[in-house]
Amino acid sequence: RKWFWEREVGLEVRSLFCRPIQAVMSAADEQSRLTAGGLNIQVPTLNPAQLVRTSEGAPVLAHLDPNNKLNRELFVGNIPPGTAELTLKDFLYEAMQKTNLLHHAGNPIVSTRINSRFAFVEFRSVEEATSALNLNGVPFMGTLLKIGRPSKYVGPASQAVTWQELTGERPDPQVVDPSTKLYRELFVGNTAPEVTAPLLMDFLNAALVKVGLSSEPVIVNARLNGKFAFIEFKSIDACSNALNLDGIPFMGQALKVSRPSKYDGPQTAHVTWSDMLTTYLATRTPAELLATQTEQPATNSEPQGATPHLVLSNMCSEEDMKSIESMRDLKDDTLDECQHYGHVNAVDILSDKTIVVTFATREEAAQAYRAISGRTFDGKTVGLSFREEPVQHAKAPAKDVSAPSAEASEDPNPSSK
């Protein structure tokens, strides 16, 4: 933007070309006159040093109180990879403007700090930060943002609704409030050394549904650390119900299920797994019990036609196939997941958009099949099958001195056989 500004201070005229307006004048002057395109604008006398201060080595607006920064800041999770800070800032501003959450004119967000899949957003006032809590669950670039207070927030609890409730859209059961994570999380101790996060999540979800504590999967995340784990649930009620799993046997161990040590909420009445199971069995007829036994196959049975070559479908899109970087990320993500179940020899993405994971043994591939069965990737259920033959890779041509380097001629197309 090339503007020609002239500032008149008494009889002195200074010209500024392609530079910000600097209202610098003597202390005796009370006002300065700016002219731009023939318009005269009266502005108060200001010292630039009073407009900006330094915080942690970075310049910030002086009117923002550093003492209440934690109350003016929100956590934003579930951000798509590659999101630009300015894009997120403008999107949240437009969402607040659309729903009349602004307290003053202009963008209320003064800074955004993105770190991989989450960000911290600083607002100009505590009131507007509190209002922005109502954006929790707002759709953004194919995902739903999780907006809440940072974990270090120690202020009073704030009443807020989700984006779906605010706008009248249908509430999404996947939307959770990060500020309530401590009340939606349980400690699970005495886990077996060979247990993986997906296996533990699938087992606990199935147990909750089995005895009527839930009608659907309610676990959103599991963090393993040695012989214990932390399990995060969709809602506080689902978390409280899961306390009744205390003592449930899994992989030869009796799991210890309880609140985390940092939990400071109300105590919830519950029973042990053995008491829960006794109550469940006492209220079911033999026919009902027999039906539940035949509904689900044994988890340890080997899938039919198992081979070392596990085929995953419904994970790769047309856009992924066009991008070398996306293909690499998808292969890395698949490798990281499948390594939980055994030694992976290769991961190949074929031209039909299927992913072939070659394990060292058929048993390892079968274990991965059981663990991944029913799970979703990017909102879509992962398809599973086996193939008999390994993926055939094209042989590299003989090296030609006149040929371009491998980096220059890298073929973006995946394996085709």
Side-chain angles (χ1 to χ4, degrees):
R1 295 171 299 183
K2 296 183 179 181
W3 290 86
F4 186 81
W5 294 92
E6 290 184 347
R7 185 187 59 234
E8 300 176 359
V9 182
L11 298 177
E12 182 182 3
V13 179
R14 299 180 182 180
S15 298
L16 303 175
F17 186 72
C18 291
R19 294 174 55 189
I21 303 173
Q22 297 179 348
V24 182
M25 56 216 66
S26 65
D29 293 327
E30 293 185 356
Q31 286 189 327
S32 171
R33 180 182 300 275
L34 299 177
T35 63
L39 298 177
N40 293 327
I41 307 173
Q42 296 289 339
V43 297
T45 299
L46 296 174
N47 184 347
Q50 297 174 333
L51 297 176
V52 178
R53 61 175 173 81
T54 301
S55 175
E56 300 178 355
V60 297
L61 297 178
H63 74 279
L64 300 178
D65 185 0
N67 296 321
N68 68 2
K69 180 181 178 182
L70 192 59
N71 296 343
R72 292 186 290 102
E73 200 168 56
L74 293 183
F75 168 89
V76 180
N78 207 27
I79 297 175
T83 300
E85 294 181 348
L86 182 60
T87 300
L88 179 62
K89 178 180 178 181
D90 290 344
F91 172 79
L92 295 177
Y93 167 49
E94 292 177 4
M96 293 184 69
Q97 195 173 36
K98 174 183 176 182
T99 51
N100 298 319
L101 294 177
L102 296 176
H103 290 237
H104 305 284
N107 196 329
I109 300 173
V110 297
S111 70
T112 55
R113 307 191 313 276
I114 293 181
N115 186 353
S116 184
R117 296 276 293 178
F118 64 89
F120 289 97
V121 178
E122 182 183 357
F123 291 80
R124 62 190 173 192
S125 69
V126 176
E127 293 77 16
E128 285 176 310
T130 301
S131 294
L133 288 171
N134 297 285
L135 300 181
N136 181 36
V138 60
F140 175 68
M141 297 175 65
T143 186
L144 300 178
L145 297 182
K146 299 179 181 180
I147 299 178
R149 299 287 190 184
S151 59
K152 295 182 180 179
Y153 176 76
V154 294
S158 304
Q159 295 294 327
V161 297
T162 66
W163 172 265
Q164 288 71 23
E165 293 171 323
L166 181 67
T167 59
E169 297 178 6
R170 184 177 179 180
D172 193 302
Q174 297 293 336
V175 177
V176 295
D177 182 0
S179 65
T180 64
K181 182 179 179 181
L182 183 61
Y183 308 101
R184 294 183 291 100
E185 198 168 59
L186 290 182
F187 169 86
V188 177
N190 202 31
T191 57
E194 60 271 22
V195 72
T196 64
L199 283 176
L200 184 59
M201 290 175 60
D202 291 344
F203 172 76
L204 296 178
N205 270 325
L208 289 168
V209 174
K210 184 86 170 180
V211 296
L213 291 173
S214 173
S215 60
E216 62 178 359
V218 291
I219 299 175
V220 297
N221 190 32
R223 307 192 317 275
L224 282 176
N225 189 349
K227 294 196 69 176
F228 64 89
F230 289 96
I231 307 297
E232 182 183 353
F233 294 82
K234 289 182 180 180
S235 67
I236 296 176
D237 290 340
C239 181
S240 299
N241 288 338
L243 287 169
N244 296 288
L245 300 181
D246 184 32
I248 187 172
F250 180 55
M251 300 181 72
Q253 306 282 101
L255 300 182
K256 298 178 180 178
V257 181
S258 63
R259 297 285 191 182
S261 58
K262 294 182 179 180
Y263 176 76
D264 57 0
Q267 296 301 313
T268 307
H270 63 279
V271 297
T272 63
W273 171 254
S274 59
D275 293 335
M276 185 69 206
L277 197 57
T278 299
T279 303
Y280 172 76
L281 294 174
T283 58
R284 295 295 187 276
T285 66
E288 290 175 329
L289 294 175
L290 181 60
T292 60
Q293 291 297 323
T294 58
E295 281 173 2
Q296 298 181 3
T299 56
N300 292 326
S301 61
E302 184 171 293
Q304 186 176 5
T307 72
H309 314 293
L310 179 63
V311 181
L312 311 178
S313 58
N314 216 22
M315 292 178 59
C316 188
S317 66
E318 291 288 351
E319 290 73 18
D320 292 328
M321 300 290 286
K322 299 175 183 178
S323 169
I324 294 177
E325 183 178 355
S326 295
M327 299 278 280
R328 287 174 177 168
D329 289 343
L330 188 56
K331 290 181 68 173
D332 290 342
D333 289 343
T334 304
L335 177 62
D336 289 342
E337 174 62 28
C338 290
Q339 282 178 335
H340 290 113
Y341 316 113
H343 180 76
V344 177
N345 290 337
V347 176
D348 297 285
I349 302 179
L350 307 188
S351 57
D352 61 356
K353 296 185 290 185
T354 60
I355 303 175
V356 179
V357 183
T358 302
F359 287 87
T361 66
R362 182 185 65 188
E363 291 74 19
E364 291 173 338
Q367 182 179 355
Y369 183 101
R370 291 191 296 267
I372 300 175
S373 179
R375 295 179 58 191
T376 61
F377 183 85
D378 198 21
K380 297 175 288 187
T381 302
V382 178
L384 294 167
S385 61
F386 294 97
R387 60 181 279 161
E388 292 291 338
E389 300 296 328
V391 175
Q392 301 294 327
H393 297 92
K395 294 183 179 180
K399 187 173 181 180
D400 186 350
V401 177
S402 61
S405 63
E407 290 80 2
S409 61
E410 183 173 2
D411 186 1
N413 296 321
S415 303
S416 59
K417 297 184 179 180

